[in-house]
Structures are given as structure tokens and as C-alpha cells.
Amino acid sequence: MSNNQLIINLPESFSNKRRVLVIIDDDIDEVNEKLLLLKQATNDPLFLADIQEVKEDFNFIDSETI
């Protein structure tokens, strides 16, 4: 689609409808943005402190026997 045009053939059941919602989401860009944020988080002191706190919480739980 070099012209950025989207054509959707709607079923006949849509003939009496006034609105149709179409959402276009570029998953590739979204995934890349999330990966970039995760990479940045590895240098964020607050994030690292949160991870350490969770790790300590689970260390206590892991030592319990069921």
C-alpha cells in the first residue's frame, strides 16, 4: 500500500449502520517503543529499586516450604 489507502468491504449487515470504528495500530513501532523503554529502565534507579524489593519479597517466599 504505497498510497496509504485502506479499503474495507463491509458485510451487507452493515448497510443500515451509521458508524464503523476502524483502529489502525502499527504493532512493529509499538513493540520497538516498548523495547526501548525496557532498555532505558535498566538504568533507572527507581525501577531498579522496585525490582530489588520484589526480588527480596520473593526470596522470603521461596524459602518457605509447602
Side-chain angles (χ1 to χ4, degrees), residues 5 10 16 38 44 50 57 61:
Q5 181 179 14
L10 298 173
N16 295 327
L38 284 172
D44 182 338
D50 287 345
D57 290 344
I61 293 170

PDB file of all heavy atoms in Angstrom, residues 5 10 16 38 44 50 57 61:
ATOM      1  N   GLN A   5      -3.639   3.912   1.554  1.00  0.00           N
ATOM      2  CA  GLN A   5      -5.098   3.818   1.428  1.00  0.00           C
ATOM      3  C   GLN A   5      -5.548   2.471   1.983  1.00  0.00           C
ATOM      4  O   GLN A   5      -4.930   1.442   1.755  1.00  0.00           O
ATOM      5  CB  GLN A   5      -5.502   3.947  -0.035  1.00  0.00           C
ATOM      6  CG  GLN A   5      -6.989   3.897  -0.257  1.00  0.00           C
ATOM      7  CD  GLN A   5      -7.352   4.066  -1.737  1.00  0.00           C
ATOM      8  OE1 GLN A   5      -6.501   3.973  -2.606  1.00  0.00           O
ATOM      9  NE2 GLN A   5      -8.609   4.291  -1.998  1.00  0.00           N
ATOM     10  N   LEU A  10     -17.445  -3.980   3.654  1.00  0.00           N
ATOM     11  CA  LEU A  10     -18.274  -4.318   4.801  1.00  0.00           C
ATOM     12  C   LEU A  10     -19.358  -5.307   4.401  1.00  0.00           C
ATOM     13  O   LEU A  10     -19.882  -5.249   3.291  1.00  0.00           O
ATOM     14  CB  LEU A  10     -18.919  -3.050   5.370  1.00  0.00           C
ATOM     15  CG  LEU A  10     -17.935  -2.003   5.885  1.00  0.00           C
ATOM     16  CD1 LEU A  10     -18.689  -0.734   6.272  1.00  0.00           C
ATOM     17  CD2 LEU A  10     -17.153  -2.526   7.054  1.00  0.00           C
ATOM     18  N   ASN A  16     -27.258  -0.738   7.195  1.00  0.00           N
ATOM     19  CA  ASN A  16     -28.109   0.191   7.937  1.00  0.00           C
ATOM     20  C   ASN A  16     -27.377   0.869   9.096  1.00  0.00           C
ATOM     21  O   ASN A  16     -27.978   1.629   9.840  1.00  0.00           O
ATOM     22  CB  ASN A  16     -29.344  -0.539   8.481  1.00  0.00           C
ATOM     23  CG  ASN A  16     -30.234  -1.021   7.355  1.00  0.00           C
ATOM     24  OD1 ASN A  16     -30.328  -0.386   6.315  1.00  0.00           O
ATOM     25  ND2 ASN A  16     -30.862  -2.160   7.553  1.00  0.00           N
ATOM     26  N   LEU A  38      12.072  -0.482  27.930  1.00  0.00           N
ATOM     27  CA  LEU A  38      12.646  -1.500  28.811  1.00  0.00           C
ATOM     28  C   LEU A  38      14.165  -1.342  28.913  1.00  0.00           C
ATOM     29  O   LEU A  38      14.744  -1.500  29.997  1.00  0.00           O
ATOM     30  CB  LEU A  38      12.292  -2.907  28.315  1.00  0.00           C
ATOM     31  CG  LEU A  38      10.875  -3.363  28.589  1.00  0.00           C
ATOM     32  CD1 LEU A  38      10.595  -4.688  27.872  1.00  0.00           C
ATOM     33  CD2 LEU A  38      10.653  -3.521  30.086  1.00  0.00           C
ATOM     34  N   ASP A  44      17.373   3.056  35.280  1.00  0.00           N
ATOM     35  CA  ASP A  44      16.520   3.904  36.105  1.00  0.00           C
ATOM     36  C   ASP A  44      16.624   3.448  37.567  1.00  0.00           C
ATOM     37  O   ASP A  44      16.201   2.339  37.904  1.00  0.00           O
ATOM     38  CB  ASP A  44      15.078   3.802  35.614  1.00  0.00           C
ATOM     39  CG  ASP A  44      14.116   4.693  36.378  1.00  0.00           C
ATOM     40  OD1 ASP A  44      14.422   5.082  37.522  1.00  0.00           O
ATOM     41  OD2 ASP A  44      13.046   4.993  35.822  1.00  0.00           O
ATOM     42  N   ASP A  50      12.694  -0.909  42.730  1.00  0.00           N
ATOM     43  CA  ASP A  50      11.450  -1.688  42.746  1.00  0.00           C
ATOM     44  C   ASP A  50      11.723  -3.155  42.461  1.00  0.00           C
ATOM     45  O   ASP A  50      11.171  -4.041  43.126  1.00  0.00           O
ATOM     46  CB  ASP A  50      10.453  -1.141  41.723  1.00  0.00           C
ATOM     47  CG  ASP A  50       9.833   0.179  42.142  1.00  0.00           C
ATOM     48  OD1 ASP A  50       9.948   0.543  43.332  1.00  0.00           O
ATOM     49  OD2 ASP A  50       9.240   0.850  41.270  1.00  0.00           O
ATOM     50  N   ASP A  57      11.198  -9.773  48.358  1.00  0.00           N
ATOM     51  CA  ASP A  57       9.924 -10.355  48.774  1.00  0.00           C
ATOM     52  C   ASP A  57       9.826 -11.813  48.366  1.00  0.00           C
ATOM     53  O   ASP A  57       9.369 -12.666  49.132  1.00  0.00           O
ATOM     54  CB  ASP A  57       8.744  -9.577  48.184  1.00  0.00           C
ATOM     55  CG  ASP A  57       8.578  -8.197  48.804  1.00  0.00           C
ATOM     56  OD1 ASP A  57       9.157  -7.951  49.881  1.00  0.00           O
ATOM     57  OD2 ASP A  57       7.871  -7.366  48.197  1.00  0.00           O
ATOM     58  N   ILE A  61       9.552 -15.756  50.291  1.00  0.00           N
ATOM     59  CA  ILE A  61       8.527 -16.728  49.928  1.00  0.00           C
ATOM     60  C   ILE A  61       9.163 -18.023  49.433  1.00  0.00           C
ATOM     61  O   ILE A  61       8.724 -19.121  49.765  1.00  0.00           O
ATOM     62  CB  ILE A  61       7.576 -16.144  48.853  1.00  0.00           C
ATOM     63  CG1 ILE A  61       6.775 -15.000  49.454  1.00  0.00           C
ATOM     64  CG2 ILE A  61       6.665 -17.221  48.294  1.00  0.00           C
ATOM     65  CD1 ILE A  61       5.985 -14.208  48.434  1.00  0.00           C
TER      66      ILE A  61
END
